[in-house]
Amino acid sequence: MHMKAIQFDSPFNIKIKEYKTPTIGKYSLLVKVAYCGICGTDIHIYEGKVPFVTYPIIPGHEFSGTIKAVGSKVTRFSIGEKVAINPNFSCKDYGYDHHEYCYYCKKNRPHFCINWEAIGVTMNGGFSEFIVCPNTSAFKVPKEVSLKEAALMEPIACCLHGLQQIRIRPENTVLVIGAGPIGLMMVSLIEAFYKSKIIVSEPHPSRRNLAIQFGADIAIDPNNEVLKDVIKKETNNYGVDVSIEAVGGTTTAIEAIDCLNRGGKALLFGVSMPEDTINLNLFELYSKELSLFGSFTNPHENDQALEILKNKLINVSELVSHIFPIWKLEEGLKLMKNKAKDVKKILIQIEDNPKEYSEV
Ligand SMILES: [Zn+2]
Ligand SMILES: [Zn+2]
């Protein structure tokens, strides 16, 4: 059997190729991919900026689909079930027994697994008609959740992991820097769970409007106003309790730290480049008792992400702006990269590939 997939031969060089449909092992599942979201990481892979990636590669790590075949030792799943996949592999996904787990997996921190691999990053991914995954990486999609929505499980789970580190409280004022798909997801989740006061900083006017729609109280244009001054005005000169950088830039990381009040927490969530560094005022860190957090993938949050989708706690259909057929992946990458007007999350529809572009 053959299938189509999008292969990145090298940076900026995308091709649709025919592959042999992969065969399953005893403990794995063959999944027919329905939808796969485009992530900032895919843009970085397109541009050759992800150190873990070797080319050629089929990217795509935010996907949902239907099980088409089940390995002989798999008991948890059956053919026809709808699943979303956690693309990050750790010891459990290689079938190791607990005593064989690595140092981090033994500590229940599988995202730091020394055997870590990720579908769509270090191995072929979801921009493909079929994919084989270990059954331990699959999550059953509740009947209330569509496959389109289920493709958002992974990015929502990543946001949840980030939010868990900073433990926002309802009385906090939160600054979110960047209102791209992730910034908007963060705003929606904060609004749903904490109802805190949210200030968003975002240069694009259409994205500022979206941020307000998703629950931000104020949206600032950092090119027109001095962010720190607006923050001071809005917080009686104190600064924000929590800031979330959702861009992956150095200037924005500095802003996230600079806008904190005493005891403030900054989550540096956007993915920066390996060579990026910032100057940190250590005396401020000490005297203001600041905390800085990083966040890597989503070790334990996929079930909660599916619950959020099931209970419609955030308006996911509003988070998706475009659904493209597989051959428009490159266009999607460029739209996202250029932050084109009204672009939010872009999904690639793989199953029943639509002939025409659809805007939702
Ligand atoms: Zn991602
Ligand atoms: Zn491990």
Side-chain angles (χ1 to χ4, degrees):
M1 218 165 70
H2 282 80
M3 63 169 198
K4 285 196 173 59
I6 299 192
Q7 180 170 296
F8 291 20
D9 282 341
S10 56
F12 303 104
N13 190 1
I14 295 185
K15 284 193 185 78
I16 296 191
K17 288 207 167 165
E18 285 263 322
Y19 280 80
K20 256 187 111 152
T21 305
T23 48
I24 54 168
K26 281 185 210 157
Y27 293 96
S28 53
L29 306 170
L30 177 69
V31 175
K32 186 169 204 278
V33 180
Y35 294 91
C36 185
I38 302 181
C39 170
T41 299
D42 299 317
I43 299 171
H44 291 159
I45 296 173
Y46 177 62
E47 294 175 335
K49 290 180 180 168
V50 181
F52 321 115
V53 172
T54 48
Y55 299 85
I57 179 98
I58 304 168
H61 60 270
E62 302 178 356
F63 61 97
S64 61
T66 309
I67 298 176
K68 291 290 165 186
V70 175
S72 58
K73 299 270 187 196
V74 178
T75 51
R76 290 196 308 138
F77 292 98
S78 40
I79 290 171
E81 278 186 301
K82 294 185 180 359
V83 286
I85 305 298
N86 168 21
N88 297 289
F89 291 179
S90 61
C91 288
K92 76 166 178 355
D93 301 302
Y94 302 107
Y96 296 158
D97 283 330
H98 194 269
H99 70 273
E100 299 169 306
Y101 277 18
C102 76
Y103 173 78
Y104 291 108
C105 285
K106 276 191 179 140
K107 297 207 296 183
N108 199 24
R109 312 212 78 194
H111 54 320
F112 300 142
C113 178
I114 55 162
N115 303 309
W116 174 81
E117 298 272 347
I119 294 179
V121 182
T122 65
M123 34 191 193
N124 284 339
F127 294 130
S128 173
E129 283 184 287
F130 290 93
I131 192 159
V132 165
C133 332
N135 77 86
T136 44
S137 69
F139 289 77
K140 284 184 199 189
V141 176
K143 62 176 187 321
E144 297 85 350
V145 179
S146 69
L147 281 171
K148 211 184 283 177
E149 293 169 326
L152 297 171
M153 174 189 81
E154 198 272 349
I156 292 173
C158 286
C159 291
L160 290 172
H161 183 56
L163 291 174
Q164 269 160 21
Q165 330 241 30
I166 46 177
R167 302 192 183 279
I168 295 174
R169 301 183 57 79
E171 65 271 25
N172 288 161
T173 300
V174 183
L175 167 66
V176 177
I177 302 177
I182 287 292
L184 292 174
M185 231 175 241
M186 287 290 196
V187 170
S188 313
L189 291 166
I190 296 165
E191 177 66 8
F193 287 105
Y194 314 106
K195 304 246 180 299
S196 313
K197 176 170 176 177
I198 306 170
I199 303 173
V200 165
S201 170
E202 166 60 55
H204 290 263
S206 64
R207 290 185 163 191
R208 283 200 298 278
N209 290 336
L210 288 168
I212 297 285
Q213 248 181 61
F214 279 82
D217 297 272
I218 302 156
I220 301 167
D221 176 1
N223 293 338
N224 236 328
E225 290 177 280
V226 178
L227 179 61
K228 213 174 163 181
D229 292 349
V230 183
I231 296 292
K232 276 188 170 171
K233 203 178 91 207
E234 289 295 328
T235 57
N236 283 331
N237 271 330
Y238 285 112
V240 295
D241 305 292
V242 177
S243 58
I244 299 174
E245 198 276 359
V247 179
T250 49
T251 319
T252 40
I254 293 167
E255 280 175 345
I257 299 165
D258 269 354
C259 290
L260 292 175
N261 67 14
R262 293 183 188 179
K265 296 178 276 192
L267 171 64
L268 304 177
F269 193 84
V271 181
S272 50
M273 290 296 111
E275 63 277 13
D276 288 345
T277 56
I278 57 167
N279 275 323
L280 189 62
N281 185 320
L282 293 175
F283 188 81
E284 281 226 332
L285 184 87
Y286 149 73
S287 57
K288 289 170 78 179
E289 241 181 51
L290 303 180
S291 308
L292 308 184
F293 294 86
S295 184
F296 182 65
T297 72
N298 48 3
H300 304 294
E301 295 77 11
N302 290 294
D303 284 314
Q304 197 195 347
L306 286 174
E307 276 296 300
I308 287 171
L309 291 169
K310 181 181 155 187
N311 296 311
K312 320 281 176 217
L313 294 181
I314 60 174
N315 192 347
V316 276
S317 56
E318 279 290 311
L319 278 171
V320 176
S321 59
H322 298 76
I323 296 175
F324 278 166
I326 197 165
W327 59 87
K328 292 226 177 181
L329 174 65
E330 193 162 21
E331 190 182 326
L333 289 164
K334 286 178 182 163
L335 278 177
M336 254 186 84
K337 164 81 187 168
N338 301 328
K339 302 184 169 135
K341 193 172 174 297
D342 298 329
V343 168
K344 293 177 274 182
K345 192 79 190 171
I346 301 174
L347 297 181
I348 300 296
Q349 182 175 356
I350 309 230
E351 195 177 39
D352 305 322
N353 220 333
K355 290 236 159 23
E356 291 302 321
Y357 144 105
S358 91
E359 203 163 344
V360 291

